[in-house]
Amino acid sequence: MQRPGQSTSVRRRTLVGVLLGAAALPAVTACQSDTGGPGAAPAATPPSVTVSPADAATDVRPDAPVSVTVAHGTLTDVTVTAPDGTAVAGALDPAGTTWTSQGPLAVGTAYAVHAVAAGASGASTTHDSTLTTLTPVDTAFPAVAPLAGHEVGVGMPVIVTFDSPVADDRRRLVEENLHVTVTPAPVPGSWSWQSDTEVEYRPEQYWPARSAVHLDIDLGSVEVAPGVWGTTRDIDFTVGSAMVSTVDIAAHTLTVTRDGQVLRTIPVTLGQSGHSGTFVTRSGTKVIMSLERSRQMNSETTGIGQDDPNYYDVAVEYAMRVTNSGEFLHAAPWSVSSQGRANVSHGCTGMSTEDARWMFEHSKVGDVVVYTGSDRGIEPGNGFTVWNETYQQWQQGSALPA
């Protein structure tokens, strides 16, 4: 209602002012959004996971690493597993953005990769993929001496012979995957390459008597030569008593000791002189390589034909081989009168049948026989000759740094 004296024009100006003032106040309503206006923060980028090798990759090299990387976040869980549930070891970098496998994969195996990553906004991403390693076309099988389960003497080397050559630049990697464990106490030892197909192992000193040795050949993921992969084997053998005998070539005696105690001194005959020295028994540390209850010995195997007056073809008993070239300890009943007195053999160590039988029954492959007293030395590789080098000399044949 208009008051007396108030004009219509004044009332209109007042109403317009109120409306303008109300328009200047901030607008607050229930349906207003706080994200779409100028100056609002952008939405966070979700984490993105990348795996190498890529999903469904095949013929993957088993020595190639598996890597999992995340962008815009950190990795909270990574597993790489074989079908049997075996997990591949791996490590995360300090930033938490890259996981890398440690150690080789198995050949011919499908692996499942599972990764979870968390983003800055709290959102997470899960990634699953697979990869399959190659199946080798060519492999190098390692034959091993001694055989699994055998008891050997303290001088027996471990001999690994491959049926395919090992490349020079792969020898170190091969050695790194040949593991020798001795119980009850570890002993130092070294591998030494004898050829591109053979590597041998010996401890610094003789094996400890009555110890156990485990050989782990972990070459299933090692490329030993271009396109040729190794295989995996485990061998266990035991070391028996310390049988170390000494043959004095000049004195015609064989002294047998067990664990440092003399068991018997046996009169023997050894290789005769003359014949350009070809019959002289070699000096050096030899190792019994085989035991044969009987053996036919024929001189033609050493180059002596039937027209030679030194030709022989005779069956011997209780033969114990100590060289590749044909030196044995054995029964020689035909030379008993010379045993302990003169050297009349073609290089072998001859003794009576009774003494040979006793020696045979108390010996095992790997027992040590040290020969002294001749100027003819044992040639490297002419039998198990690993003890004719110092340990430092032996280590020079290893591909590993000293």
Side-chain angles (χ1 to χ4, degrees):
M1 178 178 178
Q2 181 178 346
R3 292 193 300 269
Q6 185 179 27
S7 68
T8 301
S9 61
V10 172
R11 188 175 75 246
R12 287 176 178 171
R13 285 197 302 272
T14 301
L15 180 58
V16 170
V18 171
L19 293 174
L20 291 174
L25 295 175
V28 180
T29 64
C31 58
Q32 179 179 345
S33 171
D34 61 358
T35 60
T45 303
S48 175
V49 175
T50 302
V51 175
S52 178
D55 186 27
T58 58
D59 291 331
V60 174
R61 290 179 60 95
D63 54 0
V66 178
S67 65
V68 181
T69 304
V70 63
H72 312 298
T74 56
L75 293 167
T76 59
D77 182 35
V78 177
T79 58
V80 179
T81 54
D84 63 359
T86 301
V88 176
L92 195 62
D93 70 345
T97 58
T98 300
W99 180 95
T100 306
S101 63
Q102 296 176 324
L105 306 175
V107 297
T109 303
Y111 287 90
V113 182
H114 176 75
V116 179
S121 65
S124 65
T125 296
T126 299
H127 178 96
D128 290 287
S129 63
T130 62
L131 63 93
T132 303
T133 53
L134 60 82
T135 298
V137 176
D138 293 314
T139 59
F141 180 80
V144 178
L147 298 176
H150 280 211
E151 181 183 82
V152 299
V154 296
M156 181 68 197
V158 177
I159 305 171
V160 178
T161 305
F162 297 95
D163 62 2
S164 182
V166 175
D168 288 348
D169 62 353
R170 308 300 287 178
R171 289 185 178 186
R172 176 172 178 171
L173 185 59
V174 168
E175 278 190 62
E176 290 174 342
N177 288 276
L178 299 175
H179 309 291
V180 177
T181 305
V182 183
T183 55
V187 295
S190 173
W191 293 96
S192 184
W193 289 88
Q194 307 303 301
S195 70
D196 60 0
T197 59
E198 183 176 298
V199 62
E200 297 185 11
Y201 182 93
R202 54 158 277 197
E204 184 175 7
Q205 305 295 331
Y206 295 144
W207 298 104
R210 300 172 183 84
S211 59
V213 182
H214 175 74
L215 171 63
D216 176 16
I217 301 177
D218 190 16
L219 298 176
S221 302
V222 175
E223 190 177 28
V224 302
V228 182
W229 296 80
T231 56
T232 299
R233 295 190 67 190
D234 285 280
I235 302 293
D236 290 280
F237 63 91
T238 57
V239 180
S241 59
M243 297 286 289
V244 180
S245 302
T246 302
V247 174
D248 187 327
I249 297 172
H252 324 294
T253 58
L254 164 62
T255 302
V256 183
T257 66
R258 174 191 287 160
D259 299 326
Q261 300 297 315
V262 175
L263 298 184
R264 182 177 290 198
T265 298
I266 300 172
V268 294
T269 184
L270 296 123
Q272 57 189 286
S273 59
H275 307 283
S276 302
T278 57
F279 295 157
V280 173
T281 303
R282 299 164 175 84
S283 288
T285 301
K286 305 171 189 178
V287 176
I288 293 179
M289 305 170 64
S290 65
L291 292 94
E292 303 175 48
R293 176 60 182 79
S294 63
R295 180 180 179 86
Q296 190 70 27
M297 291 192 172
N298 189 303
S299 64
E300 290 182 314
T301 62
T302 62
I304 300 175
Q306 296 185 26
D307 56 349
D308 192 302
N310 291 292
Y311 171 80
Y312 58 87
D313 185 9
V314 60
V316 302
E317 293 187 289
Y318 307 113
M320 294 156 275
R321 179 187 284 273
V322 290
T323 72
N324 291 328
S325 59
E327 288 186 18
F328 289 77
L329 299 95
H330 63 77
W334 55 85
S335 63
V336 169
S337 62
S338 297
Q339 292 165 16
R341 297 178 178 85
N343 292 328
V344 298
S345 81
H346 291 82
C348 289
T349 305
M351 64 196 84
S352 70
T353 301
E354 178 187 351
D355 284 333
R357 178 182 57 79
W358 180 90
M359 183 72 178
F360 187 91
E361 291 174 349
H362 286 78
S363 297
K364 53 191 173 297
V365 171
D367 285 347
V368 177
V369 186
V370 180
Y371 284 75
T372 64
S374 84
D375 294 330
R376 186 185 188 188
I378 184 72
E379 303 88 350
N382 187 8
F384 300 160
T385 59
V386 300
W387 304 106
N388 293 284
E389 300 179 40
T390 67
Y391 186 61
Q392 289 69 32
Q393 291 171 329
W394 179 257
Q395 286 180 303
Q396 293 176 10
S398 170
L400 298 176

PDB file of all heavy atoms in Angstrom, residues 359-378:
ATOM      1  N   MET A 359      94.411-107.024  -3.134  1.00  0.00           N
ATOM      2  CA  MET A 359      94.396-105.630  -3.583  1.00  0.00           C
ATOM      3  C   MET A 359      93.076-105.302  -4.268  1.00  0.00           C
ATOM      4  O   MET A 359      92.469-104.250  -4.042  1.00  0.00           O
ATOM      5  CB  MET A 359      95.567-105.382  -4.537  1.00  0.00           C
ATOM      6  CG  MET A 359      95.694-103.942  -5.027  1.00  0.00           C
ATOM      7  SD  MET A 359      96.257-102.834  -3.734  1.00  0.00           S
ATOM      8  CE  MET A 359      96.338-101.281  -4.651  1.00  0.00           C
ATOM      9  N   PHE A 360      92.627-106.201  -5.111  1.00  0.00           N
ATOM     10  CA  PHE A 360      91.377-106.016  -5.847  1.00  0.00           C
ATOM     11  C   PHE A 360      90.206-105.868  -4.885  1.00  0.00           C
ATOM     12  O   PHE A 360      89.352-104.985  -5.046  1.00  0.00           O
ATOM     13  CB  PHE A 360      91.168-107.210  -6.780  1.00  0.00           C
ATOM     14  CG  PHE A 360      90.020-107.093  -7.730  1.00  0.00           C
ATOM     15  CD1 PHE A 360      90.194-106.552  -8.990  1.00  0.00           C
ATOM     16  CD2 PHE A 360      88.745-107.545  -7.377  1.00  0.00           C
ATOM     17  CE1 PHE A 360      89.124-106.452  -9.887  1.00  0.00           C
ATOM     18  CE2 PHE A 360      87.684-107.453  -8.256  1.00  0.00           C
ATOM     19  CZ  PHE A 360      87.872-106.902  -9.511  1.00  0.00           C
ATOM     20  N   GLU A 361      90.151-106.723  -3.884  1.00  0.00           N
ATOM     21  CA  GLU A 361      89.036-106.721  -2.943  1.00  0.00           C
ATOM     22  C   GLU A 361      89.048-105.505  -2.012  1.00  0.00           C
ATOM     23  O   GLU A 361      88.007-105.151  -1.446  1.00  0.00           O
ATOM     24  CB  GLU A 361      89.048-108.003  -2.117  1.00  0.00           C
ATOM     25  CG  GLU A 361      88.710-109.241  -2.934  1.00  0.00           C
ATOM     26  CD  GLU A 361      88.854-110.531  -2.142  1.00  0.00           C
ATOM     27  OE1 GLU A 361      89.414-110.480  -1.011  1.00  0.00           O
ATOM     28  OE2 GLU A 361      88.425-111.595  -2.645  1.00  0.00           O
ATOM     29  N   HIS A 362      90.188-104.861  -1.865  1.00  0.00           N
ATOM     30  CA  HIS A 362      90.297-103.704  -0.986  1.00  0.00           C
ATOM     31  C   HIS A 362      90.306-102.379  -1.766  1.00  0.00           C
ATOM     32  O   HIS A 362      90.489-101.322  -1.166  1.00  0.00           O
ATOM     33  CB  HIS A 362      91.565-103.800  -0.131  1.00  0.00           C
ATOM     34  CG  HIS A 362      91.467-104.803   0.976  1.00  0.00           C
ATOM     35  ND1 HIS A 362      91.594-106.160   0.772  1.00  0.00           N
ATOM     36  CD2 HIS A 362      91.226-104.648   2.310  1.00  0.00           C
ATOM     37  CE1 HIS A 362      91.458-106.800   1.918  1.00  0.00           C
ATOM     38  NE2 HIS A 362      91.225-105.902   2.871  1.00  0.00           N
ATOM     39  N   SER A 363      90.118-102.447  -3.075  1.00  0.00           N
ATOM     40  CA  SER A 363      90.215-101.241  -3.898  1.00  0.00           C
ATOM     41  C   SER A 363      88.861-100.844  -4.462  1.00  0.00           C
ATOM     42  O   SER A 363      87.925-101.644  -4.521  1.00  0.00           O
ATOM     43  CB  SER A 363      91.208-101.460  -5.048  1.00  0.00           C
ATOM     44  OG  SER A 363      92.505-101.686  -4.562  1.00  0.00           O
ATOM     45  N   LYS A 364      88.785 -99.607  -4.903  1.00  0.00           N
ATOM     46  CA  LYS A 364      87.595 -99.076  -5.565  1.00  0.00           C
ATOM     47  C   LYS A 364      88.038 -98.044  -6.597  1.00  0.00           C
ATOM     48  O   LYS A 364      89.159 -97.493  -6.520  1.00  0.00           O
ATOM     49  CB  LYS A 364      86.626 -98.454  -4.556  1.00  0.00           C
ATOM     50  CG  LYS A 364      87.245 -97.410  -3.653  1.00  0.00           C
ATOM     51  CD  LYS A 364      86.291 -97.050  -2.524  1.00  0.00           C
ATOM     52  CE  LYS A 364      86.977 -96.139  -1.508  1.00  0.00           C
ATOM     53  NZ  LYS A 364      88.126 -96.806  -0.829  1.00  0.00           N
ATOM     54  N   VAL A 365      87.190 -97.788  -7.554  1.00  0.00           N
ATOM     55  CA  VAL A 365      87.480 -96.744  -8.542  1.00  0.00           C
ATOM     56  C   VAL A 365      87.674 -95.417  -7.801  1.00  0.00           C
ATOM     57  O   VAL A 365      86.891 -95.056  -6.923  1.00  0.00           O
ATOM     58  CB  VAL A 365      86.338 -96.635  -9.562  1.00  0.00           C
ATOM     59  CG1 VAL A 365      86.523 -95.402 -10.455  1.00  0.00           C
ATOM     60  CG2 VAL A 365      86.261 -97.899 -10.403  1.00  0.00           C
ATOM     61  N   GLY A 366      88.725 -94.711  -8.152  1.00  0.00           N
ATOM     62  CA  GLY A 366      89.019 -93.444  -7.494  1.00  0.00           C
ATOM     63  C   GLY A 366      90.106 -93.529  -6.447  1.00  0.00           C
ATOM     64  O   GLY A 366      90.566 -92.494  -5.937  1.00  0.00           O
ATOM     65  N   ASP A 367      90.555 -94.754  -6.103  1.00  0.00           N
ATOM     66  CA  ASP A 367      91.676 -94.875  -5.170  1.00  0.00           C
ATOM     67  C   ASP A 367      92.959 -94.383  -5.839  1.00  0.00           C
ATOM     68  O   ASP A 367      93.141 -94.515  -7.057  1.00  0.00           O
ATOM     69  CB  ASP A 367      91.851 -96.323  -4.724  1.00  0.00           C
ATOM     70  CG  ASP A 367      90.793 -96.758  -3.710  1.00  0.00           C
ATOM     71  OD1 ASP A 367      90.084 -95.872  -3.168  1.00  0.00           O
ATOM     72  OD2 ASP A 367      90.674 -97.972  -3.461  1.00  0.00           O
ATOM     73  N   VAL A 368      93.845 -93.852  -5.026  1.00  0.00           N
ATOM     74  CA  VAL A 368      95.070 -93.220  -5.531  1.00  0.00           C
ATOM     75  C   VAL A 368      96.241 -94.202  -5.450  1.00  0.00           C
ATOM     76  O   VAL A 368      96.420 -94.894  -4.449  1.00  0.00           O
ATOM     77  CB  VAL A 368      95.388 -91.957  -4.713  1.00  0.00           C
ATOM     78  CG1 VAL A 368      96.701 -91.327  -5.187  1.00  0.00           C
ATOM     79  CG2 VAL A 368      94.241 -90.954  -4.827  1.00  0.00           C
ATOM     80  N   VAL A 369      97.043 -94.223  -6.531  1.00  0.00           N
ATOM     81  CA  VAL A 369      98.289 -94.998  -6.548  1.00  0.00           C
ATOM     82  C   VAL A 369      99.389 -94.069  -7.052  1.00  0.00           C
ATOM     83  O   VAL A 369      99.361 -93.651  -8.210  1.00  0.00           O
ATOM     84  CB  VAL A 369      98.187 -96.243  -7.442  1.00  0.00           C
ATOM     85  CG1 VAL A 369      99.456 -97.090  -7.300  1.00  0.00           C
ATOM     86  CG2 VAL A 369      96.951 -97.076  -7.104  1.00  0.00           C
ATOM     87  N   VAL A 370     100.325 -93.752  -6.172  1.00  0.00           N
ATOM     88  CA  VAL A 370     101.415 -92.837  -6.519  1.00  0.00           C
ATOM     89  C   VAL A 370     102.638 -93.656  -6.922  1.00  0.00           C
ATOM     90  O   VAL A 370     103.127 -94.488  -6.145  1.00  0.00           O
ATOM     91  CB  VAL A 370     101.755 -91.912  -5.342  1.00  0.00           C
ATOM     92  CG1 VAL A 370     102.891 -90.958  -5.725  1.00  0.00           C
ATOM     93  CG2 VAL A 370     100.530 -91.121  -4.900  1.00  0.00           C
ATOM     94  N   TYR A 371     103.147 -93.423  -8.143  1.00  0.00           N
ATOM     95  CA  TYR A 371     104.315 -94.142  -8.653  1.00  0.00           C
ATOM     96  C   TYR A 371     105.540 -93.224  -8.610  1.00  0.00           C
ATOM     97  O   TYR A 371     105.485 -92.076  -9.072  1.00  0.00           O
ATOM     98  CB  TYR A 371     104.080 -94.584 -10.094  1.00  0.00           C
ATOM     99  CG  TYR A 371     103.165 -95.780 -10.243  1.00  0.00           C
ATOM    100  CD1 TYR A 371     101.786 -95.649 -10.065  1.00  0.00           C
ATOM    101  CD2 TYR A 371     103.671 -97.030 -10.567  1.00  0.00           C
ATOM    102  CE1 TYR A 371     100.944 -96.745 -10.210  1.00  0.00           C
ATOM    103  CE2 TYR A 371     102.845 -98.132 -10.723  1.00  0.00           C
ATOM    104  CZ  TYR A 371     101.480 -97.982 -10.527  1.00  0.00           C
ATOM    105  OH  TYR A 371     100.654 -99.073 -10.673  1.00  0.00           O
ATOM    106  N   THR A 372     106.640 -93.731  -8.065  1.00  0.00           N
ATOM    107  CA  THR A 372     107.886 -92.980  -8.015  1.00  0.00           C
ATOM    108  C   THR A 372     109.029 -93.870  -8.487  1.00  0.00           C
ATOM    109  O   THR A 372     108.948 -95.097  -8.425  1.00  0.00           O
ATOM    110  CB  THR A 372     108.198 -92.503  -6.585  1.00  0.00           C
ATOM    111  OG1 THR A 372     108.404 -93.649  -5.737  1.00  0.00           O
ATOM    112  CG2 THR A 372     107.063 -91.659  -6.021  1.00  0.00           C
ATOM    113  N   GLY A 373     110.084 -93.220  -8.971  1.00  0.00           N
ATOM    114  CA  GLY A 373     111.298 -93.981  -9.256  1.00  0.00           C
ATOM    115  C   GLY A 373     111.647 -94.174 -10.698  1.00  0.00           C
ATOM    116  O   GLY A 373     112.635 -94.861 -11.002  1.00  0.00           O
ATOM    117  N   SER A 374     110.921 -93.607 -11.641  1.00  0.00           N
ATOM    118  CA  SER A 374     111.322 -93.695 -13.051  1.00  0.00           C
ATOM    119  C   SER A 374     111.404 -92.293 -13.632  1.00  0.00           C
ATOM    120  O   SER A 374     110.819 -91.341 -13.102  1.00  0.00           O
ATOM    121  CB  SER A 374     110.332 -94.542 -13.861  1.00  0.00           C
ATOM    122  OG  SER A 374     109.225 -93.775 -14.292  1.00  0.00           O
ATOM    123  N   ASP A 375     112.142 -92.188 -14.737  1.00  0.00           N
ATOM    124  CA  ASP A 375     112.292 -90.890 -15.400  1.00  0.00           C
ATOM    125  C   ASP A 375     111.183 -90.631 -16.416  1.00  0.00           C
ATOM    126  O   ASP A 375     111.159 -89.576 -17.050  1.00  0.00           O
ATOM    127  CB  ASP A 375     113.646 -90.821 -16.113  1.00  0.00           C
ATOM    128  CG  ASP A 375     114.821 -90.854 -15.151  1.00  0.00           C
ATOM    129  OD1 ASP A 375     114.646 -90.370 -14.009  1.00  0.00           O
ATOM    130  OD2 ASP A 375     115.886 -91.386 -15.523  1.00  0.00           O
ATOM    131  N   ARG A 376     110.279 -91.582 -16.552  1.00  0.00           N
ATOM    132  CA  ARG A 376     109.189 -91.425 -17.516  1.00  0.00           C
ATOM    133  C   ARG A 376     107.948 -90.948 -16.763  1.00  0.00           C
ATOM    134  O   ARG A 376     107.394 -91.659 -15.931  1.00  0.00           O
ATOM    135  CB  ARG A 376     108.899 -92.745 -18.210  1.00  0.00           C
ATOM    136  CG  ARG A 376     107.870 -92.651 -19.332  1.00  0.00           C
ATOM    137  CD  ARG A 376     107.554 -94.035 -19.886  1.00  0.00           C
ATOM    138  NE  ARG A 376     106.718 -93.945 -21.079  1.00  0.00           N
ATOM    139  CZ  ARG A 376     106.159 -94.999 -21.674  1.00  0.00           C
ATOM    140  NH1 ARG A 376     106.357 -96.233 -21.177  1.00  0.00           N
ATOM    141  NH2 ARG A 376     105.420 -94.833 -22.747  1.00  0.00           N
ATOM    142  N   GLY A 377     107.498 -89.712 -17.070  1.00  0.00           N
ATOM    143  CA  GLY A 377     106.359 -89.149 -16.359  1.00  0.00           C
ATOM    144  C   GLY A 377     105.033 -89.475 -17.019  1.00  0.00           C
ATOM    145  O   GLY A 377     104.958 -89.775 -18.219  1.00  0.00           O
ATOM    146  N   ILE A 378     103.972 -89.391 -16.242  1.00  0.00           N
ATOM    147  CA  ILE A 378     102.635 -89.625 -16.757  1.00  0.00           C
ATOM    148  C   ILE A 378     102.202 -88.438 -17.619  1.00  0.00           C
ATOM    149  O   ILE A 378     102.393 -87.272 -17.250  1.00  0.00           O
ATOM    150  CB  ILE A 378     101.626 -89.851 -15.597  1.00  0.00           C
ATOM    151  CG1 ILE A 378     100.243 -90.187 -16.123  1.00  0.00           C
ATOM    152  CG2 ILE A 378     101.575 -88.655 -14.664  1.00  0.00           C
ATOM    153  CD1 ILE A 378     100.116 -91.550 -16.706  1.00  0.00           C
TER     154      ILE A 378
END
